[in-house]
Each structure stands twice: as structure tokens, then as C-alpha cells.
Amino acid sequence: MRLSYHTFKDGQLKGQFQAHLWLQGYEGMLHGGVISALLDSAMIHCLFHHGLYAVTGDLHVRFLKAVPCDAVIDLSASI
């Protein structure tokens, strides 16, 4: 997904993703699998930044609101 992240002195990781219409789930909404993949990517890259190497064994996501297909999504992760 061509994601790039920036890390900060406090250990936090941040990035952005521009959603696109071709990643649509239901009409006008970003597919939940894409959202989950973005969360997983931020989480794992944060671990990598801290010298921890892991893979996701289990991921549970509760969606509270729909994400529009044209949204700019701010990603952040911290330990």
C-alpha cells in the first residue's frame, strides 16, 4: 500500500494513507479489511522501530464509524 512512517523521540510512529474508490467495500465506504490491514501495518512497524520482531497472531477490530473512500487516514502507533 506504499505506506511510510515517521518515528518520534517519544517512540510514537505516525503515517498517512490516502484512501481510494477502488478500495471500497459498501458504496462510498472503505473496505474493513483495508482498515484492518492499515492498523496491523502501523502496529507491526512500531514494534520494528523498537527492535521487536513479531507477526500478528490475532487481530480484533470493532468498527465505530464508516471511513469514506476519499479520506486521508492518519495512522499512529505506540507501545
Side-chain angles (χ1 to χ4, degrees), residues 5 13 36-50 52 54-60 75-79:
Y5 298 103
L13 173 132
S36 297
L38 291 168
L39 295 170
D40 183 58
S41 175
M43 175 181 66
I44 291 298
H45 278 84
C46 184
L47 290 176
F48 291 169
H49 172 71
H50 289 280
L52 303 169
V55 296
T56 303
D58 196 16
L59 178 67
H60 296 266
L75 301 166
S76 65
S78 61
I79 294 180

Side-chain angles (χ1 to χ4, degrees), residues 11-79:
Q12 189 171 31
L13 173 132
K14 291 187 179 190
Q16 279 192 331
F17 177 75
Q18 172 64 62
H20 302 281
L21 186 61
W22 60 82
L23 298 175
Q24 176 174 262
Y26 292 105
E27 188 171 342
M29 292 184 275
L30 191 61
H31 192 285
V34 173
I35 297 167
S36 297
L38 291 168
L39 295 170
D40 183 58
S41 175
M43 175 181 66
I44 291 298
H45 278 84
C46 184
L47 290 176
F48 291 169
H49 172 71
H50 289 280
L52 303 169
Y53 296 92
V55 296
T56 303
D58 196 16
L59 178 67
H60 296 266
V61 179
R62 179 174 301 272
F63 300 100
L64 302 177
K65 292 170 108 177
V67 176
C69 282
D70 62 350
V72 174
I73 300 167
D74 291 318
L75 301 166
S76 65
S78 61
I79 294 180

